[in-house]
Amino acid sequence: MGTPLKSVGNALGHGFGYAVSRFRSNRDELRAEEAERLLDCLVEAGPIYMKLGQLLATRSDLVPSEWADKLRTLQDDAPHMDAATTQAVVTRELRAPMNSVFREFDLEPVASGSVAQVHRARLLDGQQVAVKLVKEGVPEHIEQNLRIMGRGVRLAEKVVPVVAASDGLRRFTEVATLFRSQADMLQEAVRQKEVYRNFQGHPYVRVPRVIPDLVTPRMLTMEFMEGIRGNAAHQARLPAAQLARRLQDTIYTMLYMHGLSHGDPHPGNILFSEEGELILLDFGITVALTEDEKWGLSSFYYACTRKEWDIAVERFTAHFVTGGEQLRESWADYRSELVAALEHHFDTASNRWSTISYFRDVSDILRKYGARYTTSFTKVELVFLSCEGFATQLDPEINIWENARKFTDRYSPYMSKTVRERFDEQFTIQIPGSLKMRDRADRSLVAPTHIHRYFFPSTYPIFVKEARAGRVRDVDGNEYVDLSGGYGPHILGYSHPVVNEAITSGVAAGLVNGIGHEPEVELAEMLVDAFPAADRALLCNSGTEAVLLAIRLCRAARKRKVVAKFEGHYHGFSDQGMVSSWFRFTGHKHAPEPIAGTLGSNADVVENTMVLQYGDIGGLERLREHADELACVIAEPMPSSTTTFDLEFLSALRKVCTETGVPLVFDEVVTGFRVEYGGAQTMAGIEPDLTCLGKIIGGGLPCGAVVGRAGLVEMCRSSEDPFLDYEQKAFAGGTLSGNSLTCRAGTAVLTHLRANQHLYEELETKTRWLRDAFAESTGKHGISCRINARNSIFSVNFSHRSAGIYRERMAGSNFKATIALAYYMRQHGVYMPELHSFLLSTAHTDEDLNATSKAFDLSVADMAKDGFFMT
């Protein structure tokens, strides 16, 4: 265990305080014995002060090199328990003899830090493991340290104005909680398992797998991983500069994307494999950020990257500043000073980036205006400081800010200058007519679906002159294999004979709307016949309208106003359909809170939305708890944005809705008649109460429909009593709803699909072939990419993370690469929409598939060479 703790006061007064005063005196030379004395004092003072020494060991830019060299022993070579004590601790934690669990156990630790030590061992089945043990007496020492420090902070709050102004006691309490958790292996195991899941499948980050049956409050057992210690990283085969970039990228990924970061990334907690992989160890201290804080961190740094200083100040202040009454009263002066500081660090002096200088300058400004960082940002600051210290130790020439810009650039939807210049040159030659049409359209047209797209505008749109089968030809004469399919309607491809004949005959017969006609009845009959649970059909003009009407019918029938939906599920552009549907989330991942999908949303509508997670069966208990408040539950049974299909979850959802009497609405606007005749519900054998349809059922013309139980659909059917209608019925209307041209085209497509259901098998075969070809290409080029595809729907995500819950899938998605992929593919003759699922049609030939596969392979190879992926 090393030197027993005697008197923290004496240690600080005679040792640590003396050394610090010597450092502050700016003496040019510090003798080696002073560093030795500092080390002894930190060890004697206890684990909290040893932790401080570990941090200082990474900051050779702040402390003398002799100090840093000596203090590095605290990272993995601190004093440890003797063999007898170690054996007693293991036996106590196992509540059994050591040989009943371990075939071998090396009583000499392979590493020893401030709180715990790690031993190599082998289980009875032969598996090699690492056993982390909390050192005997450390939890008690931590409590002693914290009690004394707490008394000091309380005293300082009374007599030192700056401590009182910074809310020192509250901050100390939160830090104390972090230190206490370091000695709790049960908590650490939970955090390590989550980080393990977050990095599963990552190309160069490894986290040891926890052995759950061998975890106790003072012992944590995990798989053993061989590695090179962080302070000997030069032994790895990769250049030090690349290792440093990987380290920075890994820490940023945890903070910005995962929201759970290693909180103590010093060289003793990170190993390197010979190939340059990072092995993350020791999750005693972690930093957890909420979705709101992740959003704040990302949006703030994006603004800094784009030099939008006023926006950066607004975002930073909103998310990471507290206690600012004086600040608000002097906003203009505060903003001016903070803009100057941000501009200096993120622009003028960015090539000499210093995290500690940046935080110091911003802290001084906040203090001047009676404000301070939030606790979360303080934790982020510590992680950044540790990361910068270690990265600089690996590569003294590292450009921290330049690497940070490259990181944020990957996860930003904005087109970077480098990418824009590359495509400006290419597309000026390839599509001059389309670019001219784009500029012409900008003077009169706002096209949010395909040019001025929300979040992800199309910088280089094409304008189509002709579309046939599985291809389109633009105004410049370029032909492309088309993977957009109009976002879904054209399952038979463009200009299919059955559609052309239906539209031609419909035009000849005259366009009818607002008056009854046979095609309207025929389409309704086909829709009702396609779904076993459907009794009636209600026609409208779009999928968005179908969702609006379905929800209104349920509210009217249930006389309730709360609607349950799922995070990431898009139900059209209505206020309710967009709640929590994009890239902005809030609340705990298993109990999300509703958030508006767009500015201009009705706050009452957002508030009356319950948000759940698709795939989270346990979360469905919230439906039971709130059943009496719910009008309905709406879900995409097979979400097109992730192309996932969870039959077990859908069965559980149907069961809960049946038992509670809450209507279940399936949004099959995309999947209806695409994945199978009928839709995903037909494939699953699960019957909703209402189904929302669109796209395919109109044959390429505007359309929508609600089909389902008569008791719900007929809520909009007149009772022939106007007073009763107002009291008990819901209104539905639409001048062009069920118009003759749409109904003829839709009936023609559905009739063709019903008579040729082998087309669905052929589509699935094509889907599997292309999915495998894409996977082979990304694997060949060493690119992390998740390709989810089934039943003609594709979702490509440049990330190592699998499609779990929606927010986790989005966290870490390389948006820049996905946008760029669409443009690279266009250079090679394939059209796909930026950042949207893409689709196959029955018209796509083997030649089209081969051309698409080749284009994808060439595109990802070019993207890898052009630096879109971290290596």
Side-chain angles (χ1 to χ4, degrees), residues 66-127:
E66 291 90 346
W67 285 30
D69 290 342
K70 179 59 66 174
L71 293 178
R72 285 188 189 119
T73 61
L74 294 173
Q75 292 171 348
D76 54 19
D77 197 22
H80 57 81
M81 296 184 290
D82 59 34
T85 305
T86 299
Q87 187 167 1
V89 169
V90 174
T91 302
R92 181 193 66 208
E93 294 303 303
L94 291 175
R95 296 185 179 180
M98 288 178 62
N99 60 12
S100 67
V101 173
F102 298 107
R103 178 190 299 180
E104 301 170 8
F105 194 103
D106 188 349
L107 293 174
E108 182 70 21
V110 294
S112 179
S114 58
V115 173
Q117 58 193 56
V118 180
H119 296 261
R120 187 195 302 254
R122 193 176 298 276
L123 300 178
L124 295 180
D125 63 5
Q127 180 183 357

Side-chain angles (χ1 to χ4, degrees), residues 34 54 218 509 585:
E34 290 178 317
Q54 291 173 345
R218 301 288 176 88
F585 312 113

Side-chain angles (χ1 to χ4, degrees), residues 555-602:
R555 283 183 174 140
R558 289 272 293 171
K559 296 180 173 56
R560 306 286 193 276
K561 60 183 180 180
V562 178
V563 172
K565 73 180 297 283
F566 292 86
E567 193 170 84
H569 288 206
Y570 174 69
H571 302 295
F573 57 78
S574 69
D575 289 356
Q576 195 132 49
M578 288 186 66
V579 170
S580 301
S581 290
W582 293 93
F583 307 100
R584 180 72 168 94
F585 312 113
T586 190
H588 191 274
K589 66 180 180 180
H590 293 301
E593 297 172 15
I595 190 165
T598 175
L599 188 66
S601 295
N602 186 319

Side-chain angles (χ1 to χ4, degrees), residues 531-543:
F531 299 97
D535 305 312
R536 301 286 187 274
L538 168 64
L539 301 181
C540 55
N541 294 297
S542 70

Side-chain angles (χ1 to χ4, degrees), residues 453-618:
R453 191 182 299 110
Y454 189 70
F455 267 94
F456 308 110
S458 181
T459 310
Y460 308 101
I462 66 167
F463 285 78
V464 175
K465 185 173 184 178
E466 184 180 46
R468 293 187 182 279
R471 299 195 174 214
V472 296
R473 187 181 300 275
D474 68 17
V475 294
D476 294 290
N478 301 301
E479 186 175 85
Y480 306 86
V481 175
D482 175 66
L483 299 180
S484 70
Y487 294 133
H490 304 293
I491 190 171
L492 301 180
Y494 295 102
S495 194
H496 193 279
V498 301
V499 178
N500 288 351
E501 194 282 326
I503 292 176
T504 301
S505 63
V507 171
L511 308 182
V512 179
N513 62 283
I515 307 176
H517 51 87
E518 186 176 7
E520 182 181 27
V521 178
E522 289 178 342
L523 179 58
E525 289 173 340
M526 291 200 76
L527 294 176
V528 169
D529 183 64
F531 299 97
D535 305 312
R536 301 286 187 274
L538 168 64
L539 301 181
C540 55
N541 294 297
S542 70
T544 293
E545 284 188 20
V547 169
L548 281 166
L549 287 170
I551 290 174
R552 177 180 290 176
L553 294 173
C554 291
R555 283 183 174 140
R558 289 272 293 171
K559 296 180 173 56
R560 306 286 193 276
K561 60 183 180 180
V562 178
V563 172
K565 73 180 297 283
F566 292 86
E567 193 170 84
H569 288 206
Y570 174 69
H571 302 295
F573 57 78
S574 69
D575 289 356
Q576 195 132 49
M578 288 186 66
V579 170
S580 301
S581 290
W582 293 93
F583 307 100
R584 180 72 168 94
F585 312 113
T586 190
H588 191 274
K589 66 180 180 180
H590 293 301
E593 297 172 15
I595 190 165
T598 175
L599 188 66
S601 295
N602 186 319
D604 290 338
V605 171
V606 176
E607 187 176 316
N608 285 313
T609 308
M610 173 188 288
V611 183
L612 305 165
Q613 292 289 9
Y614 183 92
D616 181 10
I617 293 178

Side-chain angles (χ1 to χ4, degrees), residues 832-843:
M832 64 192 314
E834 303 92 332
L835 284 169
H836 195 283
S837 299
F838 61 89
L839 309 135
L840 292 180
S841 74
T842 61

Side-chain angles (χ1 to χ4, degrees), residues 77 216 219 286 337 388 484 579 606 620 622 659 756 822 869:
D77 197 22
T216 72
M219 182 179 78
T286 54
E337 290 188 41
E388 180 182 328
S484 70
V579 170
V606 176
L620 296 179
R622 293 174 65 205
E659 292 173 356
N756 298 277
F869 310 106

